Structures are given as C-alpha cells and as structure tokens.
C-alpha cells in the first residue's frame, strides 16, 4: 500500500472551534474560526459528529492540578488552543503511513489536545490506534460519551483490580462518568456490585444493574453539619 496521504479535503479551509488562550473557568472559552488542521504522518482528520465532555476537559481548561501543565499542556498558558478529547466522527482525510482507515469510515475514540486539534470543533486530528470503528448499535452522540470514562473504568477493574466473577466490588462515585461504566463493567465480569451515590442518582445507579446502592447524601450532610458546628 502507498504511503502517500489520501485526501478528500481542500487545503486552507476554516472551521468553527471552541478555543482558549489562557487557563481558567469556562469564561475563557471562545467560538472562533480557525484553520482546518491537516493530518501529519500517522494521523487522520475527522469530521466531528459528536464530542464527549469528560472531566479531563475541565482539567485541561483550568490547567489544574498544576503538575499537569508540566506534562506538555503548557506551563503559563495552554500549549494548544483546542479543547476536547472524546470524539465520534467520520474520517475525512488520512495522513501518510496510515493503514486500515479510509475517508468515510465512521469511528470513535480520543483525539488532541496533544496535537492541538481537539474535539470541540468541526474537525479534529486523531491517531488510528486511539480510534475504533463505530458499532452499528450506537449513535455518534452515544459513542462520543464512551472513550475516556469507559476506558478508565475498564482499566481500573480489569487491569488493576482484576475483578473476577463472584467478587464484591464497591464503586464510590457510581453515578459519575467513570462510575456509571464501572457499575456495568463489574456486573459484566460477574461481580456483586455496590454503588455509592447521592439521593437524586440512586434510581440511575440501580437501573445500571448495581445489586445494592448506598445513598451517600445523608452522610455528606452529617459531615457538613459537623464541620460547621451544627
Ligand atoms: N486518570 C484518568 O485517566 C482519569 C480519567 C477520568 C477520570 N478521572 C478521575 O476520576 C474521578 C471521577 O471522574 P468522573 O469523570 O467519573 O467524574 P464525575 O462524572 O464528575 O463524577 C463524580 C462522582 O463523584 C461523586 N461525588 C461528588 N462529590 C462527592 C462526595 N463529596 N462524596 C462522595 N461522592 C462524591 C458524584 O456523585 P453524585 O453526583 O451522586 O453526588 C459522582 O458520581 C475524577 O477525580 C477524575 O478526575 C481520572
């Protein structure tokens, strides 16, 4: 197979993207016209159909905790203006050396911001080893909610905890992005699952298959009252 890039895109196009020039709260975000990135060697350009919002996007936007700035995100200001990692979309252009993906393929996974072309935009750059083909039973919106949170839950349960059938698993934060996947994955592994969440989320965690749900709201209220001397 040739190493030449396969392109369906014209050069020097612009796109709408959510960008920022400094770290901070959501006030730093702006909708701007920026140039559509071109895929480098080993990258693909995706037409973004849906972007997922995982907690990591907040960390990258805020530049917190500070130690993450040293990991290539930019010390005083963001190294790259783009934001957003979780993505689902259609391959638009394929960079040199990419095999196995072609324009028109529907995929989901993670992209930027290391490359500077992240998912809160009309187009994003991604590496093929961070992408999987879209399952037929998922919408783009559903698929974009999966990558970071589900991968974190899977790695924790399968690779770290090595959960096996018959074990008991306690999931604190069972109603969160990671926790909702953790409940379902632990159940799929055959574990007995107890989820911890606040009162409004008890029904959700139960519906995900938890065998037992502990409502943490009364404990949190008691802790807050104790701290404030109530
Ligand atoms: N290392 C990685 O690659 C990686 C990737 C993803 C996430 N993370 C980390 O994993 C953690 C969870 O991420 P996430 O995406 O699931 O976050 P999330 O969607 O914001 O969920 C947070 C969860 O924490 C619960 N919670 C909040 N305050 C609590 C309290 N005082 N006591 C007990 N539970 C409380 C919430 O429960 P209620 O809403 O029911 O109150 C919710 O279930 C975060 O610290 C995140 O930074 C790490």
């Amino acid at each position: 197979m040739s190493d030449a890039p396969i392109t369906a895109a014209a050069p020097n196009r612009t796109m709408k993207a959510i960008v920022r020039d400094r770290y901070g709260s959501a006030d730093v975000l702006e909708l701007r016209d920026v140039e559509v990135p071109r895929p480098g060697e080993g990258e693909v350009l995706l037409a973004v159909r849906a972007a997922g919002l995982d907690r990591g996007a907040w960390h990258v936007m805020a530049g917190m905790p500070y130690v993450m700035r040293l990991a290539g995100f930019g010390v005083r200001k963001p190294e790259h203006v783009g934001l957003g990692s979780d993505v689902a979309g259609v391959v638009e252009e394929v960079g040199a050396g990419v095999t196995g993906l072609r324009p028109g393929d529907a995929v989901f996974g993670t992209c930027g911001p290391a490359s500077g072309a992240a998912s809160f935009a009309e187009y994003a750059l991604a590496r093929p080893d961070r992408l999987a083909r879209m399952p037929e039973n998922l919408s783009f919106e559903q698929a974009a909610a999966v990558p970071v949170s589900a991968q974190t839950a899977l790695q924790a349960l399968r690779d770290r905890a090595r959960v096996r059938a018959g074990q008991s698993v306690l999931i604190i934060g069972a109603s969160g992005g990671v926790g909702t996947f953790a409940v379902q994955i632990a159940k799929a592994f055959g574990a007995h699952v107890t989820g911890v969440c606040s009162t409004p989320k008890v029904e959700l965690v139960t519906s995900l298959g938890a065998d037992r749900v502990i409502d943490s709201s009364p404990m949190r209220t008691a802790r807050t009252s104790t701290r404030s001397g109530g």
Side-chain angles (χ1 to χ4, degrees):
M1 185 176 261
S2 160
D3 259 8
I6 302 170
T7 176
N12 305 321
R13 293 180 303 162
T14 58
M15 65 174 181
K16 300 279 184 207
I18 299 288
V19 296
R20 76 270 152 74
D21 299 314
R22 58 198 165 94
Y23 291 121
S25 65
D27 301 339
V28 302
L29 302 179
E30 286 176 41
L31 180 65
R32 253 188 243 159
D33 288 317
V34 300
E35 201 168 307
V36 175
R38 304 302 302 270
E41 188 169 348
E43 289 181 325
V44 298
L45 178 70
L46 298 178
V48 176
R49 294 290 184 85
L53 181 58
D54 76 286
R55 188 173 262 261
W58 181 87
H59 290 296
V60 174
M61 178 184 77
M64 303 277 275
Y66 285 110
V67 68
M68 61 157 282
R69 301 186 186 200
L70 301 173
F73 288 97
V75 176
R76 290 179 183 279
K77 64 185 186 67
E79 181 73 19
H80 301 291
V81 296
L83 198 65
S85 177
D86 283 342
V87 69
V90 176
V91 176
E92 173 104 355
E93 191 178 347
V94 174
V98 172
T99 56
L101 285 177
R102 297 187 64 80
D105 289 343
V107 293
F108 74 116
T110 56
C111 62
S115 63
S119 63
F120 297 171
E122 289 181 279
Y123 295 92
L125 292 178
R127 283 177 21 199
D129 63 352
R130 301 285 170 91
L131 299 171
R133 286 179 187 274
M134 283 274 299
E136 281 178 13
N137 61 344
L138 285 189
S139 67
F140 285 106
E141 289 80 4
Q142 289 169 329
V146 171
V148 171
S149 297
Q151 199 171 294
T152 304
L154 181 64
Q155 285 172 344
L157 293 166
R158 183 191 62 189
D159 306 337
R160 299 288 177 126
R162 298 186 183 165
V163 170
R164 293 184 303 281
Q167 290 184 323
S168 294
V169 175
L170 174 68
I171 298 170
I172 298 169
S175 60
V178 178
T180 48
F181 283 106
V183 169
Q184 297 172 81
I185 293 168
K187 279 304 293 176
F189 285 165
H192 182 277
V193 177
T194 301
V196 182
C197 64
S198 59
T199 307
K201 317 281 175 57
V202 169
E203 207 174 305
L204 165 73
V205 176
T206 305
S207 76
L208 294 174
D211 300 290
R212 192 172 159 229
V213 180
I214 297 174
D215 181 350
S216 61
S217 292
M219 288 178 268
R220 288 193 221 172
T221 310
R223 214 181 312 145
T224 310
S225 320
T226 309
R227 278 202 200 116
S228 60

